[in-house]
Amino acid sequence: MQGQLDTDLSDLGRRQAAGVAEAMAALDPRAVVSSDLRRAYDTAVAVADRAGLPVEIDARLRETHLGQWQGLTHTDVDAIAPGARSAWRADATWAPPEGESRVDVARRSLRVVDELLDKHERWGLEPIILVAHGGLIGALTAALLDLPVDRWPVLGGLGNTGWVQLSGYGDVPSWRLDVWNASAEVAPDDVL
């Protein structure tokens, strides 16, 4: 369970970043904003280089701080606190010991979106790409869609370099979920 531990991309991760970079650059983004954690930042650099843009860094896009769980395996956590991971996944207000809840994560990341909307007037025609982490993306998406907090768990996890696309409508955007967990990886034709 990585949380905010700062790790490098693996060889597979670098290949996935190159694949997503091509797909994201094709959207002709206005800006690329990234978490400062290396695994997200290196992915953002791949996207921004392909799009001909700089990367803006914002530490508020970091993954959920998992407190005492960071660096442990799922098995470790289950042995220490049976049922705790299930409670955490089912309740967006629940936090690991000394960690953040998904509501906490959404609160800090919503400010990033608000600031970007103020900074980039007429942003709707050119997307702003946020490169972050699965837990943060899920929490931010649920908050932007104004889902009741008890329904946040309906948004399942994201695969590595999976992306979400939201569209905002109006001066104070009303958000619509257009894409969830898309991937640049294409399955072979013989897979059903």
Side-chain angles (χ1 to χ4, degrees):
M1 300 189 72
Q2 284 185 294
Q4 291 188 4
L5 296 178
D6 200 10
T7 57
D8 289 319
L9 290 175
S10 65
D11 289 340
L12 173 59
R14 284 188 287 281
R15 287 193 304 274
Q16 291 171 325
V20 76
E22 188 171 330
M24 294 295 102
L27 298 175
D28 194 25
R30 173 177 284 220
V32 177
V33 184
S34 177
S35 159
D36 63 337
L37 297 177
R38 286 179 301 202
R39 60 191 189 268
Y41 177 76
D42 290 348
T43 302
V45 167
V47 171
D49 285 353
R50 185 81 176 171
L53 294 168
V55 176
E56 300 172 38
I57 298 172
D58 196 314
R60 295 173 295 178
L61 294 177
R62 283 184 172 191
E63 181 58 289
T64 308
H65 193 289
L66 296 175
Q68 295 177 8
W69 294 2
Q70 286 190 166
L72 301 178
T73 67
H74 293 173
T75 305
D76 293 337
V77 173
D78 292 345
I80 295 166
R85 276 191 324 113
S86 295
W88 173 61
R89 293 200 184 284
D91 182 354
T93 65
W94 198 92
E98 300 176 25
E100 293 178 294
S101 71
R102 285 191 301 278
V103 170
D104 296 330
V105 173
R107 189 175 298 115
R108 73 172 147 85
S109 58
L110 280 169
R111 290 192 295 267
V112 175
V113 172
D114 290 342
E115 290 168 16
L116 287 168
L117 294 176
D118 287 342
K119 178 180 176 181
H120 295 280
E121 293 181 25
R122 303 174 60 103
W123 54 272
L125 301 176
E126 300 168 319
I128 297 170
I129 296 176
L130 303 181
V131 183
H133 310 272
L136 180 133
I137 294 167
L140 178 59
T141 299
L144 287 171
L145 293 174
D146 201 24
L147 292 179
V149 173
D150 67 329
R151 299 299 299 149
W152 286 20
V154 301
L155 296 175
L158 293 173
N160 288 344
T161 66
W163 71 83
V164 173
Q165 181 176 323
L166 296 161
S167 297
Y169 298 93
D171 292 333
V172 176
S174 174
W175 295 95
R176 180 181 74 198
L177 179 62
D178 296 324
V179 175
W180 179 261
N181 202 21
S183 173
E185 299 294 319
V186 178
D189 290 339
D190 59 346
V191 176
L192 298 178

